[in-house]
Every structure is written in structure tokens, then in C-alpha cells.
Amino acid sequence: MFLTFEGVDSSGKTTQAAILVEFLRARGDAPVHFIREPGGTAISERLREILLDRSNLELSELTELFLFSASRAQLVSQVIVPALARGEIVVCDRFADSTTAYQGYGRGLDLEAVRRINGVATAGTEPDLTVLVDITVGEIEARKNAAGGAKDRMESAGREFYERVRRGYLAIAREHPERFVVIDGIRGVNDIAQDIRRAVEQRYGQPHREEK
Ligand code: TMP
């Protein structure tokens, strides 16, 4: 079973992914891999450093697209495909929908080109379920201000960028209702976690047993 979490920065998706992983591990159906993008392998983590480094001002939008995709190609071949082949559970904090939302809708790169590059980088591997934790752009700003600290290269993009990314995510979710669950992220952590757990159980109540 392959589950992905998506959402704009500060949406709380990483917290929610961790809570779900804890729940799935406690259930003990199958080993659970918890990985993040960009990252999850030594090579992908190095690409992440380049992508998020605020001093890399000259990084072009196309290079950004290819580096996120390169990181993903490595993660898919080294971790995701082998784990799924063994019948294990993979929970990934971000996946190809991030590239469609951020580089496609956010940066304005050609959506058809992004779709094709995503298909190559993932070798056609698609999540069984994608949880989109949706928050407003006003909420992103409030959370970032409350948290303080320096913004990374991606987070330094402005409000309009995040409006486009959020709209992009909602458009992708509408295009793929069979795999997306859209969760209102402006609520208490426990309420959100409960909704996500319910969605996973509704769709894949006994995931490991289906594969035996
Ligand atoms: P994170 O904050 O969830 O760890 O993600 C790192 C940043 O990279 C975040 O701002 C979203 C961005 N990103 C993209 O722009 N495209 C992608 O394909 C991925 C995976 C992340």
C-alpha cells in the first residue's frame, strides 16, 4: 500500500503523516516505511540540500523541476518499488503531486511537460491514496509568523505563488477523486488525524490481507 501526504508548507501534513505511521505500525499489518520528498535516500537528501538552500538564487525553474524529479527517481527505484513489491506499506510525505502543484501551477511550467516528467521519474508508480491537507494562504502566513525562523528557498516565494499552489492542489484532487481525500487542515491535530485514519480504513481496511 502506497500512501502520500500533500499540502502547502505549514499545512501540518508532516505531523499527520507521522501520526498515521504510528497507527499503522501499531496495527502491525506489514512493515511501514516513512519517507519524505525530496529526500529518503542519501542521494535524494543531497539534492534536497541544493533545492532548499537559500543561497542558490540562480537555480532556474527548469533545473528545479529536474532536481525534484531526480530525487524522486532515486527514491522510487531504491526504496518505493522494492518495498511495495515485498507487500510493505510506504507512507511518503510529498510525491509527484507536489511537482504538479509547485512547479506546474506555482512556477507556471507547462503542465503537460510536468505530467510527462512525473511519469518518467515515478516509472508510473502511483499512490493508492493521497491525503491533501488543505489550509488557506492566510493560515500559512499566520503559522509561519508564529513559528519564526528563517525561510528556506522554496518558502521564500510570495503569497501569490502559494495561492497558485493551493489552487493547483485542489484542481489535481478534483481530477483524481478516486485517489484523493481532501482534509480541512484548520482544525485540531486530533480531529484531523481521526478523519485521515477513517479515510484510510474506509478504503483499505485490511490492506495487507488483500495482498496475501
Ligand atoms: P517540505 O517542506 O514538505 O519538506 O518540502 C520541501 C519544499 O519543496 C516545499 O516548499 C515544497 C517543495 N517541493 C516542490 O516544490 N516540488 C516537489 O516536487 C517537492 C517534492 C517539494
Side-chain angles (χ1 to χ4, degrees):
M1 180 168 59
F2 183 24
L3 304 172
T4 59
F5 278 76
E6 295 286 355
V8 293
D9 303 72
S10 309
S11 62
K13 65 177 172 44
T14 305
T15 303
Q16 290 300 331
I19 293 172
L20 183 69
V21 164
E22 206 178 303
F23 168 73
L24 292 171
R25 283 187 176 149
R27 236 171 70 153
D29 296 342
V32 181
H33 301 260
F34 184 26
I35 46 184
R36 69 170 178 183
E37 273 223 86
T41 71
I43 289 170
S44 309
E45 290 290 341
R46 285 174 72 180
L47 293 172
R48 178 186 180 93
E49 281 169 27
I50 298 173
L51 280 159
L52 299 189
D53 184 343
R54 275 194 311 159
S55 63
N56 284 337
L57 290 176
E58 72 278 25
L59 196 81
S60 83
E61 293 177 348
L62 208 49
T63 308
E64 179 181 290
L65 169 67
F66 283 119
L67 289 181
F68 278 118
S69 304
S71 166
R72 180 164 309 125
Q74 186 66 32
L75 183 65
V76 166
S77 65
Q78 193 177 330
V79 178
I80 298 178
V81 165
L84 296 178
R86 291 190 299 266
E88 297 171 357
I89 298 171
V90 176
V91 177
C92 197
D93 182 357
R94 297 193 180 282
F95 196 57
D97 297 314
S98 282
T99 303
T100 310
Y102 279 78
Q103 281 64 55
Y105 286 92
R107 299 286 192 220
L109 295 178
D110 181 65
L111 285 175
E112 183 49 31
V114 170
R115 196 186 64 75
R116 271 188 282 126
I117 291 167
N118 276 344
V120 174
T122 60
T125 307
E126 287 213 350
D128 298 300
L129 181 70
T130 299
V131 176
L132 172 58
V133 182
D134 180 50
I135 63 169
T136 60
V137 174
E139 182 69 13
I140 303 177
E141 285 171 352
R143 290 183 185 188
K144 277 195 181 139
N145 290 339
K151 292 176 176 168
D152 65 35
R153 197 185 62 84
M154 293 302 298
E155 287 172 329
S156 305
R159 188 188 170 101
E160 294 74 29
F161 175 78
Y162 278 111
E163 290 286 4
R164 292 195 295 276
V165 172
R166 181 182 180 219
R167 260 187 276 119
Y169 267 132
L170 294 172
I172 303 165
R174 276 194 302 275
E175 277 167 34
H176 301 281
E178 74 293 346
R179 118 172 125 82
F180 264 88
V181 176
V182 182
I183 301 278
D184 174 4
I186 311 186
R187 290 175 304 148
V189 170
N190 292 338
D191 289 344
I192 298 171
Q194 212 169 34
D195 279 4
I196 293 173
R197 193 172 299 170
R198 207 173 293 135
V200 171
E201 287 188 324
Q202 256 171 21
R203 295 197 187 205
Y204 307 101
Q206 309 278 325
H208 64 304
R209 283 169 203 136
E210 287 169 8
E211 287 160 11
K212 278 185 182 163

